[in-house]
Amino acid sequence: MPNLTDCRDDFPILQRVLSNGQKLAFLDNAASTQRPSSVIQAISECYESYYSNVHRGIHTLSEESTERYERSRKSVATFINAKTDHEIIYTAGATAAVNTVAGSWGRQTIKQGDTILLTIAEHHANIVPWQQLSAETGCKLQFIPLDSDYRITTEAVSTALQKYQPKLFAFTAASNVLGTVSPVTDWTALAHQQGSTVLVDAAQAAPHQAMDVQAWDADFVVFSGHKVCGPTGIGVLYGRETLLESMPPFLGGGGMINRVTTEGFTAAELPEKFEAGTPPIAEAIGLEAAVKYIRSIGLEEIEQHEQTLARHAEAGLRQIEGVRVVSPENGEKSGIVSFDLSHAHAHDVAHSLSGRGIAVRAGHHCTMPLHHALEITATTRASFYFYNTREEADRLVEAIADIQEKFKPTGRRRRRRRAEGDRP
Ligand code: 7TS
């Protein structure tokens, strides 16, 4: 295992001692990661020395900002191995990117009676925009269920594709709850054989695994900057060039036009066609610094390190009586471990962990249909990144063992619960 401990010094926030005197163990990386100094500096440098609006002014600052904004796009294209930087559209985040596909490609292509195929493990960002499109067009949504081992199997994908013949198959490359990783290339190939267009939600994949959109052969791929050590307010929509060319603009306004008259407009070329209004300029510059930083650490090292930590924590959690880990026991997985305690609600668990300096997330993690299928209202989720340590994983397991013990019903509490009809 590579020694990634030194990189902690690059993250000012990780040095923080909390107001209760506890050392911070940040295990909420699936919600958002932290930023290294190089990203913070790139953003400050932009505002301090060359910030201006892009693509518009004929003056030095605007030229410099434009040059850096477009350089960022090139770096991101290289990061995910896109064929050309015109295939990289900057949006406000993964959510905005899915909405762009639904609002542009979806409205143009999807008709009443068509089917959009999803998995039950999707984040709301990859469900609700399709439900909105369904309300508008009359198309149907179908969900591929989990098997008894918390997996979406390739067999289930293949069966659903044949059964529903969907216009679109949209799925997550890595679950934000189950810690499962999808075989993207295989599923994309199966969908294409069936004539379906493919959207890959890579929000939980981009931070953790080397991405190659050409090898995946996906039509659309989305992810967010803030989950790859970059700024909030920026995300990426990758689209196959021919497909993006054929799609109408989604948002209208400045920057996305070629010509406007009182009668109408003509759209700009890619990628501006999909970037109406002032884009996230400093955010794009911060994102470039983030992908540069991540590549300097190495995505293989990142993947290996966080998997080692997560499997270590998972093994410890599985030893504790009454802890249910909502994840397959074996197979390829990510740095996410979600679990449920028999004696304590997830919010109480997260609150108790916070008192010990450990930051996790509790709730449905924007996957209500998944939690409904699991028959749990809420889970506690620890999500590791490359800057986490084995000591932090151990702290988590020890704390959970302690919390499970502390919340154990006492004789009096048990009697009261029985009297109340054993309500949780
Ligand atoms: N897709 C997946 C798989 C996600 O995990 C998230 C955010 C999104 C899409 C949306 O990303 P956004 O940047 O546009 O919000 N996931 C989470 C989470 O698990 N906890 O907080 C945010």
Side-chain angles (χ1 to χ4, degrees):
M1 187 163 104
N3 180 10
L4 294 179
T5 321
D6 291 350
C7 73
R8 285 181 71 85
D9 296 339
D10 298 334
F11 292 78
I13 205 167
L14 297 181
Q15 320 310 323
R16 205 180 141 175
V17 173
L18 301 167
S19 53
N20 58 7
Q22 296 281 351
K23 215 170 114 191
L24 171 70
F26 189 77
L27 303 182
D28 191 21
N29 295 289
S32 202
T33 53
Q34 299 297 349
R35 281 120 208 84
S37 302
S38 59
V39 170
I40 299 167
Q41 274 162 16
I43 297 166
S44 327
E45 194 203 348
C46 165
Y47 284 128
E48 282 170 6
S49 39
Y50 61 88
Y51 175 78
S52 168
N53 211 330
V54 292
H55 298 147
R56 294 174 189 194
I58 305 170
H59 59 77
T60 305
L61 295 190
S62 185
E63 279 164 9
E64 285 179 16
S65 285
T66 303
E67 196 268 316
R68 291 295 301 270
Y69 180 72
E70 291 304 330
R71 198 180 86 183
S72 161
R73 198 192 304 277
K74 286 191 172 60
S75 299
V76 169
T78 306
F79 183 61
I80 63 170
N81 197 30
K83 215 183 266 176
T84 126
D85 57 333
H86 289 161
E87 295 177 318
I88 306 297
I89 311 293
Y90 279 146
T91 65
T95 302
V98 178
N99 277 277
T100 302
V101 177
S104 169
W105 178 87
R107 281 190 190 137
Q108 182 184 50
T109 316
I110 300 291
K111 306 273 179 297
Q112 181 163 21
D114 287 345
T115 299
I116 292 176
L117 182 63
L118 308 169
T119 84
I120 198 68
E122 299 311 310
H123 186 280
H124 296 167
N126 196 27
I127 298 177
V128 180
W130 307 119
Q131 290 175 331
Q132 290 174 304
L133 187 67
S134 166
E136 217 177 293
T137 62
C139 72
K140 291 193 213 75
L141 305 190
Q142 297 290 349
F143 292 84
I144 306 175
L146 295 180
D147 72 0
S148 56
D149 193 28
Y150 304 101
R151 283 187 188 286
I152 305 283
T153 63
T154 297
E155 207 186 335
V157 168
S158 175
T159 306
L161 283 166
Q162 283 172 40
K163 183 171 171 191
Y164 300 116
Q165 311 262 320
K167 277 270 156 66
L168 175 74
F169 178 31
F171 63 90
T172 188
S175 161
N176 68 324
V177 175
L178 303 166
T180 46
V181 178
S182 310
V184 176
T185 311
D186 295 350
W187 290 5
T188 302
L190 284 172
H192 283 163
Q193 276 166 28
Q194 211 59 59
S196 313
T197 298
V198 173
L199 179 143
V200 178
D201 176 354
Q204 297 294 347
H208 312 288
Q209 62 183 79
M211 263 169 59
D212 183 338
V213 292
Q214 292 188 64
W216 278 359
D217 199 27
D219 302 297
F220 300 109
V221 177
V222 306
F223 64 97
S224 290
H226 68 96
K227 291 193 206 281
V228 292
C229 297
T232 54
I234 186 161
V236 173
L237 164 61
Y238 158 83
R240 196 189 292 282
E241 191 175 20
T242 46
L243 208 47
L244 291 175
E245 296 278 15
S246 69
M247 286 158 50
F250 173 50
L251 298 176
M256 50 67 73
I257 53 89
N258 184 16
R259 194 177 152 76
V260 184
T261 65
T262 50
E263 273 72 49
F265 74 93
T266 53
E269 301 287 305
L270 289 177
E272 282 84 21
K273 177 165 89 169
F274 290 105
E275 293 185 357
T278 297
I281 300 162
E283 290 78 3
I285 285 152
L287 181 58
E288 182 187 24
V291 299
K292 187 172 170 198
Y293 181 83
I294 285 184
R295 294 184 81 184
S296 78
I297 302 276
L299 277 146
E300 274 176 27
E301 284 75 10
I302 290 175
E303 200 177 359
Q304 197 190 337
H305 178 80
E306 63 194 22
Q307 284 183 13
T308 305
L309 292 186
R311 296 301 71 80
H312 176 66
E314 184 181 335
L317 291 168
R318 285 188 190 274
Q319 298 286 313
I320 306 169
E321 212 189 311
V323 173
R324 171 187 173 195
V325 176
V326 288
S327 185
E329 258 187 80
N330 302 306
E332 198 194 342
K333 292 205 288 178
S334 70
I336 289 176
V337 191
S338 300
F339 50 94
D340 178 47
L341 268 64
S342 57
H343 299 330
H345 187 275
H347 287 155
D348 292 326
V349 176
H351 187 71
S352 298
L353 288 174
S354 178
R356 296 157 206 250
I358 304 170
V360 297
R361 194 166 191 227
H364 52 66
H365 317 295
C366 300
T367 58
M368 283 174 109
L370 173 66
H371 277 72
H372 183 74
L374 293 171
E375 296 178 347
I376 322 180
T377 47
T379 49
T380 306
R381 179 185 68 189
S383 47
F384 293 88
Y385 209 15
F386 58 87
Y387 41 63
N388 290 122
T389 64
R390 201 174 172 93
E391 184 240 328
E392 290 175 326
D394 289 333
R395 269 173 71 193
L396 172 76
V397 175
E398 276 163 34
I400 292 298
D402 195 38
I403 292 164
Q404 173 75 335
E405 186 59 32
K406 285 220 165 79
F407 277 82
K408 199 173 180 172
T410 58
R412 202 202 285 157
R413 238 191 273 156
R414 253 199 308 264
R415 277 194 299 281
R416 200 177 58 219
R417 272 205 195 168
R418 263 201 298 270
E420 287 171 355
D422 227 355
R423 281 203 306 270

